[in-house]
Amino acid sequence: MPSVAFYTLGCKVNFYDTEAIWQLFKKEGYEQVDFETSTADVYLINTCTVTNTGDKKSRQIIRRAIRRNPDAVIAVTGCYAQTSPAEIMDIPGVDLVIGTQDRDKLMDYIRQIQRDRKPVNAVRNIMKTREFEELDVPNFADRTRAFLKIQEGCNNFCTFCIIPWSRGLSRSRDPQSVIRQARQLVAAGYKEIVLTGIHTGGYGDDLDDYRLSDLLRDLDKIEGLKRIRISSIEASQIDEAMIEVLNRSDKMCRHLHIPLQAGDDSVLKRMRRKYTTEEYADKIRLIKRAMPGVAITTDVIVGFPGETDEMFENGYRFMEELGFSEMHVFPYSKRTGTPAARMTDQVDEEVKHERVHRLIDLSERMQLQYAEQFVGQVLDVIPERDYKGAPGSGLVMGYSDNYLQVVFDGTEDLIGSLCRVQITEAGVNECRGRLVRVLESHGRGAAAAGI
């Protein structure tokens, strides 16, 4: 039986894409082996290019695979492969570079390489691509949540970001295809679906008269689906139709990830973000009114070129006022090839470091404040795994619909079930709870064997 080993760098979309590529190998009779410990016939590295370090790490992993088994086929895909195929082809031992499209042709290329051992550069211009690449993932190992990719690419061209050049322009998956795949996932026993993409909220930008709010309305009608989560959405994409869906649907999770990036208008402008702080705050207020108790998480870039102490303080106060339930804080890092990397007023690394720490402290304070309001309340939790902090101690861990990580007494057979849990104690990263009752045990029997 031929074997394949995968290594994935970067974001959740890359991990989804790797799972989808594994389905192609599986159909051809391959078995999957561990990248670190096994010798495989094919090594596939799914690369990241979001930072310069992503490129460097990708090259290191490619070389590691070549050392493992010089006779294996070394295939490289993903964002770094898309933007710099020549750099990767220059690494002796690389057989195939394929980028972020045409992956349905992957097995043909591999067969061809095994036959005549000639390296292939299969990357073509992503900017000309207008079709969504249909690659399905019918199940997810060790997951109680299913990810469903509905969109690819981005039209925003923020000044710090290379992604439109590695993923192309925004293209949406056909609505019928999304609904069909969602039904299959529910039939396989999944109760929660996470809609994902490079710029998920941009779904429908390239479709006639069909937006993300329409898709959510259609998904809402699927029998047996309990939760719909959106991986990320921009403030500018939250319109009245979206608010109405959030207001009306009992399947929409009370959790939205809405990237802010900076809390100062002059920084947002230089980043080429499509909103002001005032517009952003207005959208947050509307959402909180439509979904009481909603968790709003966000991304923040610290030390963007030209960010003065005053701009940072403005942002700090703005974030504190909005009251996020968690912030993902990143120091700005130069990405070669982006306008921001060429800006002259780069911020000193030590200043960045100090600001990052202040925002992480703020985030933890807000996380605790958010969680504390739910102590004593009963929430629906779907346990995902045995509690990592103390394996085998009769505790399980899962997420509530508003994305609190809850640890409570329970055995592993609860995993995947919909449980009512009373929150007994709030914490920064996890809350403690008490199982009240099991609403629905998991329907993941024969259909989900091997998950």
Side-chain angles (χ1 to χ4, degrees), residues 216 228-230 242-256 258 283-296 370 373-374 401-402:
L216 295 173
I228 305 163
R229 204 182 287 278
I230 305 168
M242 180 56 91
I243 296 283
E244 195 215 326
V245 172
L246 297 179
N247 216 331
R248 208 181 44 82
S249 164
D250 58 354
K251 293 184 183 181
M252 288 302 304
C253 286
R254 281 183 303 166
H255 166 235
L256 289 171
I258 309 172
K283 293 291 170 77
I284 301 295
R285 275 191 283 274
L286 284 172
I287 291 163
K288 285 185 171 176
R289 210 173 303 143
M291 276 184 138
V294 65
I296 294 178
Y370 178 74
Q373 55 184 323
F374 295 95
D401 76 310
N402 58 335

Side-chain angles (χ1 to χ4, degrees), residues 274-336:
K274 293 187 164 56
Y275 49 83
T276 62
T277 49
E278 193 182 338
E279 287 164 351
Y280 186 96
D282 283 346
K283 293 291 170 77
I284 301 295
R285 275 191 283 274
L286 284 172
I287 291 163
K288 285 185 171 176
R289 210 173 303 143
M291 276 184 138
V294 65
I296 294 178
T297 55
T298 197
D299 297 325
V300 181
I301 292 172
V302 178
F304 188 76
E307 183 185 69
T308 62
D309 285 344
E310 189 190 355
M311 290 168 194
F312 173 75
E313 296 301 339
N314 278 345
Y316 186 96
R317 281 193 301 275
F318 179 72
M319 293 165 211
E320 197 170 28
E321 264 165 48
L322 280 183
F324 291 104
S325 65
E326 188 182 355
M327 303 194 298
H328 303 164
V329 183
F330 306 94
Y332 168 73
S333 76
K334 269 186 181 182
R335 182 65 192 83
T336 314

Side-chain angles (χ1 to χ4, degrees), residues 136-151:
D136 272 342
V137 182
N139 60 39
F140 296 82
D142 313 323
R143 287 273 178 195
T144 54
R145 283 179 284 162
F147 289 80
L148 176 47
K149 186 171 161 186
I150 62 168
Q151 181 279 342

